[in-house]
Amino acid sequence: MTRPPAGTPCWDPAELPTQPQLHGVVTADVAVVGAGLAGLSCAYHLAERAPGLDIAVVDAEHPAAGASGRGTGLLGPRAGPAVDRAVRRFGPQTARRMHRASERAVRDVLALCDRLDVPCGLRPGEQLVATRSPAGLAALARQARACRELGLDVPVLSPAGIRDRVGVPYRAALLHRPAATLDPAALTCALARACADKGVRFYGRSPLLALRPGDLVGPELVLPHGRLYAGQAVLAVNSAAQALELPVGTVLPLEVYAVATEPLSVPAYEALGGRAGHSVVDAVPMAPYFRLLPDRGLVAGGGTATVPAGVGAPRLQAVRERAWAWLERWLRSLHPHLARVRVTHRWSGRIGMTGDDLPVVGPVPGFDDVWYIGGCCGHGLALSVAHGAHVAAALLGEPEPGEPLPWHRSRAPRLPARGPAGPLLRAYVDALGRIARHTC
């Protein structure tokens, strides 16, 4: 059994709709399992496009309890592998479509925030993918060249251009727009309230135990205290697919870490670009990143990831403590004004990773009228909302025009996550983290 994430995020609790446990036999036109951004986006778009549809959202806990409420609120364009690797794997035309789809996903979240009128600390700004290391410079050079060849608007920033935005001595950066930062839990809870206002029913503390083909129409969802029979189902369960033994390939659960600080001094806040709402992500895979909060606090994440399955509680807690301690040291190294800043929150969350860095958004093999959404590989804030809208359109028979994107698929590659090879995979992930921490 995989233990839940630890710590308390810095986001304040938000109002939620009523969520009784599911008891007995319940029916719905569409059942959505998972009350994170992907599942709620799907339910919201279904209810908006087909107002008479009977929609039930079921969650093991409550909205925003999972990754959608334990993230760090960076909203920026990225889908799948870095753009230069996307060109090599899929060709320039598809790589361009992938990047533009991720930009459109960011704009759609901004529009959704405006439509919901939610106080989620939204701060439109720019996202800098920056580096202080030779390895990061090489990676940025490859990405910058690919962006130029594809005609993408991703400018290169010199050290002076970076200093104009953020007072940290990075050597180079790519500037991504559109981008923003926000409170992910507040957005998720606002989306849940909007769904409830449209008549969507919620059931909390009702984890999915099994999925079976229905005897009549659609699937049967087995829950601890009852059954849910639906005409169609959407499993927005991310890395829980492995525990449910869904035939969607390997969506590996990784635990990632974050910290938040007390409000910075005004000089520190201004030196780090707080007024403009920038976020800064290191160019090396799994490397750390930071963003500033409207109350002048700082959030930092990254640098370490852990495969939690099979790790005992004492060892997992020790890994968490080391990860949080390293993040504290790293953020203090960013600027002299941060040398004595106090960390007020430490937490972990779970993301779903795939072997090829691509999400999985498609019908579940072997099940009629069942779709799966997961594996955003750490870029889920914008992509989850986009994936939910995509699946809603597909369920209503209104597919998006054009060729499918590479992540519109039913399976990810298989990884040796279980059995004798499991420790090797864990060691590989740990090694990537050590490389990222050493590089930064």
Side-chain angles (χ1 to χ4, degrees), residues 190-287:
L191 197 51
R193 294 193 300 272
C195 287
D197 290 343
K198 293 179 179 295
V200 174
R201 291 176 289 135
F202 282 81
Y203 297 97
R205 295 172 293 125
S206 301
L208 178 64
L209 302 180
L211 174 71
R212 299 171 182 165
D215 294 329
L216 297 174
V217 177
E220 175 190 4
L221 283 67
V222 181
L223 305 146
H225 304 290
R227 301 286 190 274
L228 173 54
Y229 295 91
Q232 298 170 304
V234 178
L235 308 182
V237 296
N238 202 18
S239 59
Q242 186 173 343
L244 292 168
E245 298 185 345
L246 298 179
V248 295
T250 302
V251 181
L252 185 70
L254 289 188
E255 184 165 292
V256 293
Y257 306 93
V259 298
T261 73
E262 64 184 347
L264 308 182
S265 67
V266 172
Y269 192 68
E270 292 179 349
L272 292 170
R275 290 183 178 179
H278 303 308
S279 58
V280 181
V281 182
D282 200 283
V284 178
M286 290 181 59

Side-chain angles (χ1 to χ4, degrees), residues 6 100 159 170 293 307 407 432:
R100 288 184 171 162
Y170 287 103
L293 299 170
V307 180
W407 54 83
L432 289 179

Side-chain angles (χ1 to χ4, degrees), residues 219-381:
E220 175 190 4
L221 283 67
V222 181
L223 305 146
H225 304 290
R227 301 286 190 274
L228 173 54
Y229 295 91
Q232 298 170 304
V234 178
L235 308 182
V237 296
N238 202 18
S239 59
Q242 186 173 343
L244 292 168
E245 298 185 345
L246 298 179
V248 295
T250 302
V251 181
L252 185 70
L254 289 188
E255 184 165 292
V256 293
Y257 306 93
V259 298
T261 73
E262 64 184 347
L264 308 182
S265 67
V266 172
Y269 192 68
E270 292 179 349
L272 292 170
R275 290 183 178 179
H278 303 308
S279 58
V280 181
V281 182
D282 200 283
V284 178
M286 290 181 59
Y289 56 87
F290 74 90
R291 58 158 294 200
L292 295 171
L293 299 170
D295 69 355
R296 302 208 317 268
L298 181 148
V299 171
T304 303
T306 308
V307 180
V311 180
R315 181 183 171 194
L316 185 57
Q317 187 59 30
V319 169
R320 291 165 175 164
E321 295 292 342
R322 287 196 297 271
W324 288 325
W326 185 87
L327 272 174
E328 290 186 30
R329 292 194 299 271
W330 177 79
L331 73 86
R332 294 181 202 284
S333 75
L334 291 173
H335 196 279
H337 284 306
L338 300 179
R340 292 180 176 82
V341 68
R342 183 171 61 93
V343 168
T344 57
H345 295 78
R346 310 186 310 170
W347 71 97
S348 64
R350 297 278 163 81
I351 61 174
M353 295 294 297
T354 63
D356 57 4
D357 295 326
L358 289 171
V360 180
V361 184
V364 176
F367 289 88
D368 294 333
D369 298 313
V370 179
W371 284 62
Y372 168 79
I373 304 173
C376 286
C377 302
H379 304 286
L381 185 47

